[in-house]
Amino acid sequence: MKLPAIVQLHSIVFIWGFTGVIGKLISLNAIPLVWGRTLVAAFFLFGYLYFSKRKKIKISRKLMFQLLGCGVIVGIHWSLFYSSIKISNISIATSTLSTGTLFVALLEPFFFKRKIKISEIILSLVIIICILFIFNTEMNYWKGILLGIACAFLSALFSVVNGIMHSHESPEIITFYEMTGAFVTLTAFMFLFNDWGSITTIKGWDIVWLLVLGGLLTSFPLVMTMKLMKHITPFTLMLSINLEPVYAILIAYLIWKDSEKMSPIFYVSTSVMIAAICFNGYLKSKNKRS
């Protein structure tokens, strides 16, 4: 992978570090929040595609349904992520996202027809042990931890599927249909859980933060990620995403202090997870060069 791609990837991960923080600033519940996020993201992408006149929005029916299906995955993934934040905190929600590497290590061989690598299994075991330590010391957040792990599985599934889809269309088209699929899914959830009341009483700052979340922190980085899938594997993407908790925890602590303060074991376990993931990424890059 060339240096510019590495710089772009880690810039995107840094941007994603703010998504949990912005989500906590928004007073809406998880489902209305994600509904607004996907609506704004789809609107921004449609506007870009319409006014650029370089890309045709119409695609084959088969591909459209595939991308809408991907949108269902990402819509539920974000709902679980913000639910985890709302019932626990940003530190818990983002740290459990590190388990996504475990799920990619299991999913990628199935989708890409390759053997499971021993190094990835060892890495996965390290992550499991660290998560067990976090569970043991932060039992009052057990619901948030479980939601975070479920969220990580869907994140891994979405990354693997996107690794397959990136060559089918332009990144902007793919992301637009995925956001549309997520929006339709969240609209169905809004009807199912009768969550429309919070939308009618939305605050002014909530609208501002939703515009930031849906535009700057969603549509832009997702398009850039799809472009980078030509140069990286889903496993490499998930390795880099594991730096997101570092950024998110630091930002959240600077803003909320005590409510984001966790036990020493939490920070040690999270640090071990991230260090193991980064070391595994280093070994992979070293093996490719040799």
Side-chain angles (χ1 to χ4, degrees), residues 36-71:
R37 179 182 185 179
T38 54
L39 172 63
V40 172
F43 179 80
F44 268 87
L45 288 162
F46 178 81
Y48 170 79
L49 291 168
Y50 182 80
F51 289 107
S52 66
K53 298 180 180 179
R54 292 179 297 168
K55 308 268 192 314
K56 291 183 178 180
I57 297 178
K58 190 175 181 180
I59 58 175
S60 69
R61 182 173 296 182
K62 179 182 177 181
L63 180 58
M64 180 182 70
F65 282 113
Q66 288 174 338
L67 295 177
L68 292 175
C70 292

mmCIF file of all heavy atoms in Angstrom, residues 36-71:
data_model
loop_
_atom_site.group_PDB
_atom_site.id
_atom_site.type_symbol
_atom_site.label_atom_id
_atom_site.label_comp_id
_atom_site.label_asym_id
_atom_site.label_seq_id
_atom_site.Cartn_x
_atom_site.Cartn_y
_atom_site.Cartn_z
ATOM 1 N N GLY A 36 -31.644 10.230 11.108
ATOM 2 C CA GLY A 36 -31.226 11.554 10.657
ATOM 3 C C GLY A 36 -29.867 11.523 9.999
ATOM 4 O O GLY A 36 -29.630 12.193 8.983
ATOM 5 N N ARG A 37 -28.941 10.726 10.548
ATOM 6 C CA ARG A 37 -27.592 10.627 9.975
ATOM 7 C C ARG A 37 -27.638 10.087 8.545
ATOM 8 O O ARG A 37 -26.981 10.632 7.644
ATOM 9 C CB ARG A 37 -26.732 9.708 10.848
ATOM 10 C CG ARG A 37 -25.312 9.526 10.328
ATOM 11 C CD ARG A 37 -24.502 8.560 11.196
ATOM 12 N NE ARG A 37 -23.122 8.499 10.745
ATOM 13 C CZ ARG A 37 -22.178 7.765 11.321
ATOM 14 N NH1 ARG A 37 -22.467 7.026 12.377
ATOM 15 N NH2 ARG A 37 -20.937 7.760 10.845
ATOM 16 N N THR A 38 -28.395 9.018 8.324
ATOM 17 C CA THR A 38 -28.458 8.418 6.991
ATOM 18 C C THR A 38 -29.212 9.302 6.009
ATOM 19 O O THR A 38 -28.883 9.344 4.817
ATOM 20 C CB THR A 38 -29.109 7.021 7.057
ATOM 21 O OG1 THR A 38 -30.391 7.110 7.701
ATOM 22 C CG2 THR A 38 -28.237 6.057 7.837
ATOM 23 N N LEU A 39 -30.235 10.007 6.498
ATOM 24 C CA LEU A 39 -30.970 10.945 5.640
ATOM 25 C C LEU A 39 -30.048 12.044 5.131
ATOM 26 O O LEU A 39 -30.019 12.339 3.922
ATOM 27 C CB LEU A 39 -32.146 11.555 6.405
ATOM 28 C CG LEU A 39 -32.908 12.695 5.710
ATOM 29 C CD1 LEU A 39 -33.552 12.198 4.419
ATOM 30 C CD2 LEU A 39 -33.963 13.288 6.644
ATOM 31 N N VAL A 40 -29.280 12.646 6.025
ATOM 32 C CA VAL A 40 -28.352 13.712 5.653
ATOM 33 C C VAL A 40 -27.275 13.184 4.716
ATOM 34 O O VAL A 40 -26.946 13.820 3.702
ATOM 35 C CB VAL A 40 -27.698 14.334 6.914
ATOM 36 C CG1 VAL A 40 -26.584 15.306 6.521
ATOM 37 C CG2 VAL A 40 -28.754 15.057 7.750
ATOM 38 N N ALA A 41 -26.724 12.005 5.022
ATOM 39 C CA ALA A 41 -25.670 11.427 4.185
ATOM 40 C C ALA A 41 -26.183 11.132 2.782
ATOM 41 O O ALA A 41 -25.510 11.450 1.782
ATOM 42 C CB ALA A 41 -25.138 10.153 4.832
ATOM 43 N N ALA A 42 -27.365 10.533 2.677
ATOM 44 C CA ALA A 42 -27.946 10.221 1.367
ATOM 45 C C ALA A 42 -28.233 11.502 0.586
ATOM 46 O O ALA A 42 -28.006 11.566 -0.636
ATOM 47 C CB ALA A 42 -29.225 9.399 1.543
ATOM 48 N N PHE A 43 -28.712 12.534 1.271
ATOM 49 C CA PHE A 43 -29.010 13.818 0.631
ATOM 50 C C PHE A 43 -27.731 14.459 0.080
ATOM 51 O O PHE A 43 -27.706 14.942 -1.058
ATOM 52 C CB PHE A 43 -29.682 14.751 1.638
ATOM 53 C CG PHE A 43 -30.001 16.112 1.091
ATOM 54 C CD1 PHE A 43 -31.119 16.316 0.303
ATOM 55 C CD2 PHE A 43 -29.171 17.194 1.359
ATOM 56 C CE1 PHE A 43 -31.411 17.573 -0.220
ATOM 57 C CE2 PHE A 43 -29.447 18.449 0.846
ATOM 58 C CZ PHE A 43 -30.570 18.645 0.053
ATOM 59 N N PHE A 44 -26.674 14.471 0.878
ATOM 60 C CA PHE A 44 -25.398 15.035 0.437
ATOM 61 C C PHE A 44 -24.862 14.298 -0.791
ATOM 62 O O PHE A 44 -24.389 14.912 -1.757
ATOM 63 C CB PHE A 44 -24.362 14.968 1.568
ATOM 64 C CG PHE A 44 -24.326 16.196 2.428
ATOM 65 C CD1 PHE A 44 -25.177 16.313 3.519
ATOM 66 C CD2 PHE A 44 -23.449 17.236 2.171
ATOM 67 C CE1 PHE A 44 -25.161 17.437 4.328
ATOM 68 C CE2 PHE A 44 -23.427 18.365 2.963
ATOM 69 C CZ PHE A 44 -24.276 18.475 4.052
ATOM 70 N N LEU A 45 -24.926 12.972 -0.742
ATOM 71 C CA LEU A 45 -24.401 12.166 -1.848
ATOM 72 C C LEU A 45 -25.241 12.336 -3.112
ATOM 73 O O LEU A 45 -24.699 12.419 -4.222
ATOM 74 C CB LEU A 45 -24.357 10.695 -1.436
ATOM 75 C CG LEU A 45 -23.258 10.349 -0.423
ATOM 76 C CD1 LEU A 45 -23.555 9.016 0.248
ATOM 77 C CD2 LEU A 45 -21.895 10.317 -1.103
ATOM 78 N N PHE A 46 -26.564 12.405 -2.947
ATOM 79 C CA PHE A 46 -27.432 12.628 -4.111
ATOM 80 C C PHE A 46 -27.123 13.988 -4.740
ATOM 81 O O PHE A 46 -27.049 14.108 -5.973
ATOM 82 C CB PHE A 46 -28.901 12.568 -3.699
ATOM 83 C CG PHE A 46 -29.849 12.830 -4.843
ATOM 84 C CD1 PHE A 46 -30.166 11.820 -5.739
ATOM 85 C CD2 PHE A 46 -30.410 14.092 -5.026
ATOM 86 C CE1 PHE A 46 -31.029 12.070 -6.806
ATOM 87 C CE2 PHE A 46 -31.271 14.346 -6.084
ATOM 88 C CZ PHE A 46 -31.586 13.326 -6.973
ATOM 89 N N GLY A 47 -26.960 14.995 -3.897
ATOM 90 C CA GLY A 47 -26.626 16.325 -4.418
ATOM 91 C C GLY A 47 -25.313 16.329 -5.178
ATOM 92 O O GLY A 47 -25.204 16.944 -6.241
ATOM 93 N N TYR A 48 -24.328 15.631 -4.642
ATOM 94 C CA TYR A 48 -23.029 15.555 -5.321
ATOM 95 C C TYR A 48 -23.162 14.866 -6.674
ATOM 96 O O TYR A 48 -22.644 15.359 -7.692
ATOM 97 C CB TYR A 48 -22.031 14.802 -4.454
ATOM 98 C CG TYR A 48 -20.745 14.485 -5.179
ATOM 99 C CD1 TYR A 48 -19.757 15.453 -5.357
ATOM 100 C CD2 TYR A 48 -20.523 13.212 -5.718
ATOM 101 C CE1 TYR A 48 -18.593 15.171 -6.043
ATOM 102 C CE2 TYR A 48 -19.364 12.928 -6.404
ATOM 103 C CZ TYR A 48 -18.396 13.907 -6.563
ATOM 104 O OH TYR A 48 -17.239 13.618 -7.253
ATOM 105 N N LEU A 49 -23.876 13.735 -6.705
ATOM 106 C CA LEU A 49 -24.029 12.976 -7.948
ATOM 107 C C LEU A 49 -24.842 13.761 -8.975
ATOM 108 O O LEU A 49 -24.544 13.744 -10.168
ATOM 109 C CB LEU A 49 -24.711 11.634 -7.663
ATOM 110 C CG LEU A 49 -23.879 10.622 -6.863
ATOM 111 C CD1 LEU A 49 -24.758 9.464 -6.401
ATOM 112 C CD2 LEU A 49 -22.721 10.106 -7.700
ATOM 113 N N TYR A 50 -25.851 14.465 -8.508
ATOM 114 C CA TYR A 50 -26.730 15.212 -9.410
ATOM 115 C C TYR A 50 -26.015 16.407 -10.031
ATOM 116 O O TYR A 50 -26.076 16.630 -11.248
ATOM 117 C CB TYR A 50 -27.976 15.682 -8.661
ATOM 118 C CG TYR A 50 -28.963 16.433 -9.520
ATOM 119 C CD1 TYR A 50 -29.847 15.751 -10.347
ATOM 120 C CD2 TYR A 50 -28.999 17.832 -9.519
ATOM 121 C CE1 TYR A 50 -30.757 16.434 -11.148
ATOM 122 C CE2 TYR A 50 -29.897 18.533 -10.313
ATOM 123 C CZ TYR A 50 -30.770 17.828 -11.126
ATOM 124 O OH TYR A 50 -31.651 18.515 -11.919
ATOM 125 N N PHE A 51 -25.307 17.163 -9.216
ATOM 126 C CA PHE A 51 -24.691 18.394 -9.705
ATOM 127 C C PHE A 51 -23.347 18.160 -10.390
ATOM 128 O O PHE A 51 -22.910 18.980 -11.211
ATOM 129 C CB PHE A 51 -24.527 19.402 -8.569
ATOM 130 C CG PHE A 51 -25.823 19.994 -8.104
ATOM 131 C CD1 PHE A 51 -26.372 19.632 -6.882
ATOM 132 C CD2 PHE A 51 -26.516 20.896 -8.901
ATOM 133 C CE1 PHE A 51 -27.571 20.161 -6.457
ATOM 134 C CE2 PHE A 51 -27.728 21.431 -8.487
ATOM 135 C CZ PHE A 51 -28.258 21.062 -7.262
ATOM 136 N N SER A 52 -22.675 17.059 -10.063
ATOM 137 C CA SER A 52 -21.387 16.800 -10.732
ATOM 138 C C SER A 52 -21.597 16.377 -12.176
ATOM 139 O O SER A 52 -20.734 16.606 -13.036
ATOM 140 C CB SER A 52 -20.612 15.708 -9.989
ATOM 141 O OG SER A 52 -21.284 14.464 -10.074
ATOM 142 N N LYS A 53 -22.738 15.729 -12.460
ATOM 143 C CA LYS A 53 -23.107 15.281 -13.815
ATOM 144 C C LYS A 53 -22.077 14.340 -14.431
ATOM 145 O O LYS A 53 -22.067 14.118 -15.630
ATOM 146 C CB LYS A 53 -23.330 16.492 -14.746
ATOM 147 C CG LYS A 53 -24.472 17.391 -14.304
ATOM 148 C CD LYS A 53 -24.658 18.565 -15.244
ATOM 149 C CE LYS A 53 -25.804 19.458 -14.778
ATOM 150 N NZ LYS A 53 -25.994 20.633 -15.652
ATOM 151 N N ARG A 54 -21.213 13.782 -13.584
ATOM 152 C CA ARG A 54 -20.209 12.850 -14.093
ATOM 153 C C ARG A 54 -20.618 11.404 -13.868
ATOM 154 O O ARG A 54 -20.105 10.496 -14.494
ATOM 155 C CB ARG A 54 -18.859 13.105 -13.399
ATOM 156 C CG ARG A 54 -18.212 14.424 -13.769
ATOM 157 C CD ARG A 54 -16.912 14.592 -13.031
ATOM 158 N NE ARG A 54 -17.126 14.652 -11.585
ATOM 159 C CZ ARG A 54 -16.160 14.564 -10.676
ATOM 160 N NH1 ARG A 54 -14.921 14.381 -11.069
ATOM 161 N NH2 ARG A 54 -16.439 14.639 -9.389
ATOM 162 N N LYS A 55 -21.538 11.202 -12.949
ATOM 163 C CA LYS A 55 -21.937 9.850 -12.589
ATOM 164 C C LYS A 55 -23.445 9.679 -12.808
ATOM 165 O O LYS A 55 -24.234 10.533 -12.450
ATOM 166 C CB LYS A 55 -21.626 9.588 -11.109
ATOM 167 C CG LYS A 55 -20.181 9.921 -10.712
ATOM 168 C CD LYS A 55 -19.311 8.717 -10.837
ATOM 169 C CE LYS A 55 -17.946 8.875 -10.186
ATOM 170 N NZ LYS A 55 -17.218 10.081 -10.423
ATOM 171 N N LYS A 56 -23.818 8.576 -13.423
ATOM 172 C CA LYS A 56 -25.233 8.255 -13.573
ATOM 173 C C LYS A 56 -25.705 7.528 -12.320
ATOM 174 O O LYS A 56 -25.093 6.571 -11.875
ATOM 175 C CB LYS A 56 -25.439 7.369 -14.806
ATOM 176 C CG LYS A 56 -25.191 8.102 -16.127
ATOM 177 C CD LYS A 56 -25.490 7.191 -17.306
ATOM 178 C CE LYS A 56 -25.287 7.935 -18.625
ATOM 179 N NZ LYS A 56 -25.562 7.066 -19.796
ATOM 180 N N ILE A 57 -26.821 8.003 -11.756
ATOM 181 C CA ILE A 57 -27.323 7.423 -10.516
ATOM 182 C C ILE A 57 -27.982 6.068 -10.761
ATOM 183 O O ILE A 57 -27.935 5.188 -9.915
ATOM 184 C CB ILE A 57 -28.313 8.394 -9.839
ATOM 185 C CG1 ILE A 57 -27.590 9.692 -9.448
ATOM 186 C CG2 ILE A 57 -28.956 7.770 -8.605
ATOM 187 C CD1 ILE A 57 -28.467 10.737 -8.827
ATOM 188 N N LYS A 58 -28.550 5.879 -11.956
ATOM 189 C CA LYS A 58 -29.256 4.636 -12.253
ATOM 190 C C LYS A 58 -28.270 3.480 -12.438
ATOM 191 O O LYS A 58 -27.284 3.597 -13.140
ATOM 192 C CB LYS A 58 -30.092 4.804 -13.518
ATOM 193 C CG LYS A 58 -31.045 3.631 -13.773
ATOM 194 C CD LYS A 58 -31.928 3.904 -14.978
ATOM 195 C CE LYS A 58 -32.886 2.734 -15.214
ATOM 196 N NZ LYS A 58 -33.759 2.973 -16.390
ATOM 197 N N ILE A 59 -28.561 2.348 -11.765
ATOM 198 C CA ILE A 59 -27.732 1.145 -11.880
ATOM 199 C C ILE A 59 -28.644 -0.057 -12.101
ATOM 200 O O ILE A 59 -29.874 0.074 -12.075
ATOM 201 C CB ILE A 59 -26.881 0.930 -10.609
ATOM 202 C CG1 ILE A 59 -27.770 0.830 -9.367
ATOM 203 C CG2 ILE A 59 -25.851 2.039 -10.446
ATOM 204 C CD1 ILE A 59 -27.017 0.497 -8.085
ATOM 205 N N SER A 60 -28.057 -1.228 -12.315
ATOM 206 C CA SER A 60 -28.861 -2.430 -12.540
ATOM 207 C C SER A 60 -29.668 -2.770 -11.284
ATOM 208 O O SER A 60 -29.256 -2.460 -10.156
ATOM 209 C CB SER A 60 -27.961 -3.615 -12.912
ATOM 210 O OG SER A 60 -27.184 -4.017 -11.800
ATOM 211 N N ARG A 61 -30.791 -3.416 -11.487
ATOM 212 C CA ARG A 61 -31.665 -3.758 -10.365
ATOM 213 C C ARG A 61 -30.962 -4.701 -9.387
ATOM 214 O O ARG A 61 -31.090 -4.553 -8.159
ATOM 215 C CB ARG A 61 -32.943 -4.402 -10.881
ATOM 216 C CG ARG A 61 -33.950 -4.750 -9.788
ATOM 217 C CD ARG A 61 -35.263 -5.221 -10.354
ATOM 218 N NE ARG A 61 -35.936 -4.183 -11.116
ATOM 219 C CZ ARG A 61 -37.123 -4.326 -11.693
ATOM 220 N NH1 ARG A 61 -37.770 -5.491 -11.597
ATOM 221 N NH2 ARG A 61 -37.664 -3.335 -12.375
ATOM 222 N N LYS A 62 -30.218 -5.656 -9.916
ATOM 223 C CA LYS A 62 -29.521 -6.621 -9.065
ATOM 224 C C LYS A 62 -28.527 -5.923 -8.144
ATOM 225 O O LYS A 62 -28.504 -6.161 -6.932
ATOM 226 C CB LYS A 62 -28.794 -7.656 -9.931
ATOM 227 C CG LYS A 62 -28.017 -8.689 -9.121
ATOM 228 C CD LYS A 62 -27.288 -9.661 -10.038
ATOM 229 C CE LYS A 62 -26.459 -10.655 -9.222
ATOM 230 N NZ LYS A 62 -25.709 -11.593 -10.097
ATOM 231 N N LEU A 63 -27.700 -5.047 -8.736
ATOM 232 C CA LEU A 63 -26.704 -4.329 -7.941
ATOM 233 C C LEU A 63 -27.378 -3.386 -6.945
ATOM 234 O O LEU A 63 -26.914 -3.250 -5.802
ATOM 235 C CB LEU A 63 -25.768 -3.536 -8.858
ATOM 236 C CG LEU A 63 -24.662 -2.736 -8.171
ATOM 237 C CD1 LEU A 63 -23.781 -3.645 -7.330
ATOM 238 C CD2 LEU A 63 -23.822 -1.975 -9.199
ATOM 239 N N MET A 64 -28.471 -2.771 -7.357
ATOM 240 C CA MET A 64 -29.181 -1.853 -6.476
ATOM 241 C C MET A 64 -29.650 -2.572 -5.203
ATOM 242 O O MET A 64 -29.444 -2.082 -4.094
ATOM 243 C CB MET A 64 -30.387 -1.237 -7.192
ATOM 244 C CG MET A 64 -31.176 -0.262 -6.310
ATOM 245 S SD MET A 64 -32.638 0.417 -7.138
ATOM 246 C CE MET A 64 -33.698 -1.035 -7.218
ATOM 247 N N PHE A 65 -30.246 -3.755 -5.359
ATOM 248 C CA PHE A 65 -30.725 -4.496 -4.196
ATOM 249 C C PHE A 65 -29.572 -4.997 -3.337
ATOM 250 O O PHE A 65 -29.686 -5.070 -2.103
ATOM 251 C CB PHE A 65 -31.622 -5.660 -4.632
ATOM 252 C CG PHE A 65 -33.019 -5.236 -4.998
ATOM 253 C CD1 PHE A 65 -33.476 -5.332 -6.299
ATOM 254 C CD2 PHE A 65 -33.870 -4.717 -4.028
ATOM 255 C CE1 PHE A 65 -34.759 -4.929 -6.632
ATOM 256 C CE2 PHE A 65 -35.163 -4.317 -4.348
ATOM 257 C CZ PHE A 65 -35.607 -4.415 -5.659
ATOM 258 N N GLN A 66 -28.452 -5.334 -3.977
ATOM 259 C CA GLN A 66 -27.278 -5.747 -3.205
ATOM 260 C C GLN A 66 -26.774 -4.600 -2.331
ATOM 261 O O GLN A 66 -26.461 -4.797 -1.150
ATOM 262 C CB GLN A 66 -26.162 -6.211 -4.152
ATOM 263 C CG GLN A 66 -26.433 -7.555 -4.812
ATOM 264 C CD GLN A 66 -25.372 -7.913 -5.847
ATOM 265 O OE1 GLN A 66 -24.672 -7.048 -6.370
ATOM 266 N NE2 GLN A 66 -25.256 -9.195 -6.143
ATOM 267 N N LEU A 67 -26.710 -3.407 -2.907
ATOM 268 C CA LEU A 67 -26.221 -2.242 -2.170
ATOM 269 C C LEU A 67 -27.212 -1.801 -1.102
ATOM 270 O O LEU A 67 -26.813 -1.389 -0.004
ATOM 271 C CB LEU A 67 -25.930 -1.088 -3.135
ATOM 272 C CG LEU A 67 -24.795 -1.325 -4.130
ATOM 273 C CD1 LEU A 67 -24.647 -0.144 -5.086
ATOM 274 C CD2 LEU A 67 -23.474 -1.573 -3.401
ATOM 275 N N LEU A 68 -28.497 -1.883 -1.411
ATOM 276 C CA LEU A 68 -29.508 -1.569 -0.400
ATOM 277 C C LEU A 68 -29.414 -2.546 0.771
ATOM 278 O O LEU A 68 -29.591 -2.169 1.935
ATOM 279 C CB LEU A 68 -30.908 -1.609 -1.013
ATOM 280 C CG LEU A 68 -31.245 -0.510 -2.032
ATOM 281 C CD1 LEU A 68 -32.623 -0.759 -2.645
ATOM 282 C CD2 LEU A 68 -31.201 0.875 -1.393
ATOM 283 N N GLY A 69 -29.106 -3.810 0.455
ATOM 284 C CA GLY A 69 -28.911 -4.810 1.507
ATOM 285 C C GLY A 69 -27.716 -4.479 2.386
ATOM 286 O O GLY A 69 -27.770 -4.655 3.616
ATOM 287 N N CYS A 70 -26.648 -3.984 1.771
ATOM 288 C CA CYS A 70 -25.493 -3.526 2.542
ATOM 289 C C CYS A 70 -25.901 -2.374 3.460
ATOM 290 O O CYS A 70 -25.413 -2.262 4.599
ATOM 291 C CB CYS A 70 -24.369 -3.056 1.611
ATOM 292 S SG CYS A 70 -23.600 -4.370 0.666
ATOM 293 N N GLY A 71 -26.800 -1.540 2.958
ATOM 294 C CA GLY A 71 -27.289 -0.422 3.752
ATOM 295 C C GLY A 71 -28.062 -0.881 4.979
ATOM 296 O O GLY A 71 -28.002 -0.241 6.040
#
